[in-house]
Amino acid sequence: MRFGERLAAAVSRYGPLCVGIDPHPGLLASWGLPRDASGLERFALTCVEAFGGRVAVVKPQSAFFEAYGSRGVAVLEKVISGLRDSGTLVLVDAKRGDIGSTMAAYAAAYLTEGSPLAGDAVTVSPYLGFGSLRPALEAAAASGRGIFALALTSNPEGASVQRAAGPDGRSVAQSVVDEAARANAGAEPLGDVGLVIGATVGRLDLDLSDLRGPILAPGFGAQGGTVGDLRALFGEDLPGVLPASSRDVLRHGPGTASLRSAVDAARRSLEM
């Protein structure tokens, strides 16, 4: 099955919540864990145990693993493997983007069958031009995986680029939307090319009507995004949105039971 098909089935079963695994040093400390690779591993594998088979998508943030060097990347590989073994979709939040052979190498790492870093999808940056993502699009299509391209992010610096108008009058973010829609043309029930649009961007100013793909909406929960914000932003496009919550769930650790209770509460809040 294509990624979009697997995602639609997972959302139908578990609801749209995406839970992040963000092993921030402050969270390791609050869990009583050392800020080293051993603490990282205990934190991350506890999350795998708590979230696997309970939500549609889990999103490990690659940077927090890379910070510990090769031992941290080895833990990320265990997280991806453990979640996939549980039947849970894995979105690796790596935000990779480059040109030519370098982008092809990123695609081989995150989107190619047999790579230990390949989940079910990966976040990518289109800000070297959407065409620079072609190796990732091709690798995803060949392996039945997906990509989520940054479109409109909630960090204040993003607006100067993403909301800027191009030569044809469209915003840069709208051009990303339109390219994703072109890649998803004809896909049912969902395409394999998703977008990242922050839950706290305030206003959308985007035409998503032809997208036919999923939208990852980070910032739900601790970063201030609410169900009301999601409704106001996405309106009739809301059924294709994956609200992402990380620290609002993770702060309930280190017990797996309390983490699962937090996940269940977040899922219930999204029953619209």
Side-chain angles (χ1 to χ4, degrees), residues 86-183:
S86 75
T88 303
L89 296 179
V90 185
L91 169 56
V92 181
D93 195 357
K95 299 184 179 71
R96 297 301 195 248
D98 214 309
I99 58 173
S101 60
T102 310
M103 190 66 228
Y106 282 137
Y110 293 101
L111 294 164
T112 301
E113 195 65 34
S115 169
L117 287 172
D120 295 278
V122 65
T123 56
V124 294
S125 173
Y127 290 108
L128 290 175
F130 198 91
S132 69
L133 299 180
R134 182 167 299 281
L137 291 164
E138 291 174 349
S143 66
R145 289 177 165 82
I147 67 169
F148 284 79
L150 301 177
L152 196 59
T153 58
S154 56
N155 62 304
E157 304 87 353
S160 63
V161 173
Q162 296 157 11
R163 294 190 186 276
D168 60 2
R170 293 180 300 165
S171 69
V172 173
Q174 184 65 56
S175 71
V176 173
V177 172
D178 294 344
E179 291 289 348
R182 188 173 293 111

Side-chain angles (χ1 to χ4, degrees), residues 209-237:
S209 58
D210 294 328
L211 177 61
R212 306 180 77 91
I215 297 169
L216 179 72
F220 176 68
Q223 292 176 262
T226 66
V227 173
D229 291 329
L230 295 171
R231 288 186 179 129
L233 275 177
F234 298 110
E236 63 184 19
D237 298 303

